Amino acid sequence: MRKEMVDVPAADGTADAYLAVPEGGPHPGVLLFPDAFGLRPRIEEMAGRIAEAGYAVLAPNLLYRGGRSPLVDFAALEDPEKRGAVFGKLMPMIEALDTDAITRDAEKYLDWFAAQDGVAEGPVVITGYCMGGLNALRVIEAFPGRVKAIASFHGGRLATDQPDSPHLRVGSITGEVYFGHADQDPSATAEQIKTLEHALDEAGVTYRSEVYEGASHGFTMSDTAAYHEEGEKRHWENLFALLERVR
């Protein structure tokens, strides 16, 4: 299997990224949008697991404007108190990543990925985590012909009172979407989830939206204090089920 760090042209510079492509192929493409903590061994591990199932995977550093990976001290992620300080450092970068920047970057990622050996032609699937889940929803809305499905895990700010809230644009989606929400997540409250689901129902989007009880925001990430083993296991089951459905 081809596993390597690569540089990918992006809208406002170059994004460092992790690429995993099985031998042979071509293989269906999957973009993995990391959480706010970015590229690190855990993300490489997750990309490798998807690739081992027969998919080509690209995981870009979504916050490349703030620098190349690593942007934070990974050792701090397992400490709840230090994890908050890390978020404080990253928050200005996250807030600067608006809808326009997300979609301009995504177009570049999709173009570069499609040109790689071993990657099948046609639309991709995006699996996103935390801010990556929000980005995934933005991208399938902007490029419905190039993204056939997304999975968002512990994604936040999916339905807000802002005029550019992603739930207001779900009508453009033609593929399938899956949401695995964290229980008691302040960035995805029960009211916000209900608002999102209502918008999806009204638009006739094929979707599943589930709350993982007992799991906190960031539950899939085994290298952070938010890790929830049962939630992570359930996430893999639902992700691979989605990949098989749209393969």
Side-chain angles (χ1 to χ4, degrees):
M1 184 181 297
R2 177 185 175 192
K3 296 182 179 180
E4 61 181 332
M5 294 299 300
V6 294
D7 284 345
V8 179
D12 297 312
T14 300
D16 49 314
Y18 182 72
L19 179 69
V21 183
E23 293 183 359
H27 305 281
V30 175
L31 290 182
L32 191 163
F33 284 174
D35 59 4
F37 303 131
L39 300 181
R40 57 194 192 277
R42 172 56 176 164
I43 297 300
E44 295 177 13
E45 176 189 351
M46 296 173 79
R49 182 164 178 173
I50 298 170
E52 288 170 0
Y55 300 89
V57 185
L58 177 69
N61 171 15
L62 302 179
L63 298 178
Y64 70 88
R65 292 174 180 83
R68 298 178 68 86
S69 304
L71 293 173
V72 298
D73 176 9
F74 299 147
L77 303 184
E78 297 182 5
D79 185 323
E81 295 183 4
K82 293 181 179 178
R83 184 168 176 262
V86 170
F87 259 122
K89 175 183 177 181
L90 295 174
M91 192 54 64
M93 304 179 202
I94 297 170
E95 293 176 346
L97 197 61
D98 59 15
T99 304
D100 177 65
I102 291 168
T103 54
R104 288 189 297 114
D105 285 340
E107 186 171 23
K108 296 289 188 179
Y109 301 152
L110 289 166
D111 288 346
W112 186 91
F113 192 35
Q116 301 308 299
D117 292 338
V119 180
E121 295 181 358
V124 304
V125 175
I126 304 176
T127 182
Y129 302 86
C130 184
M131 61 170 281
L134 168 65
N135 285 27
L137 182 55
R138 295 282 198 199
V139 175
I140 196 173
E141 291 172 346
F143 304 106
R146 304 190 69 178
V147 182
K148 58 186 174 182
I150 68 160
S152 168
F153 297 98
H154 46 86
R157 298 181 292 129
L158 304 177
T160 71
D161 58 2
Q162 297 301 306
D164 67 339
S165 176
H167 82 281
L168 300 175
R169 293 173 169 78
V170 297
S172 65
I173 297 173
T174 57
E176 182 175 349
V177 297
Y178 175 86
F179 299 95
H181 306 287
D183 193 16
Q184 303 299 316
D185 184 348
S187 69
T189 65
E191 181 180 358
Q192 290 172 325
I193 293 170
K194 183 178 180 180
T195 298
L196 171 65
E197 292 173 346
H198 178 73
L200 293 165
D201 287 333
E202 287 291 302
V205 177
T206 300
Y207 79 95
R208 287 181 63 191
S209 175
E210 303 176 320
V211 175
Y212 289 29
E213 294 185 6
S216 61
H217 183 79
F219 63 82
T220 60
M221 298 299 164
S222 60
D223 61 348
T224 77
Y227 179 59
H228 185 266
E229 184 176 3
E230 183 58 34
E232 185 221 10
K233 178 182 177 182
R234 182 177 171 186
H235 132 269
W236 285 118
E237 292 170 351
N238 284 308
L239 175 58
F240 283 121
L242 172 66
L243 290 173
E244 284 300 310
R245 284 198 300 273
V246 302
R247 188 173 184 139

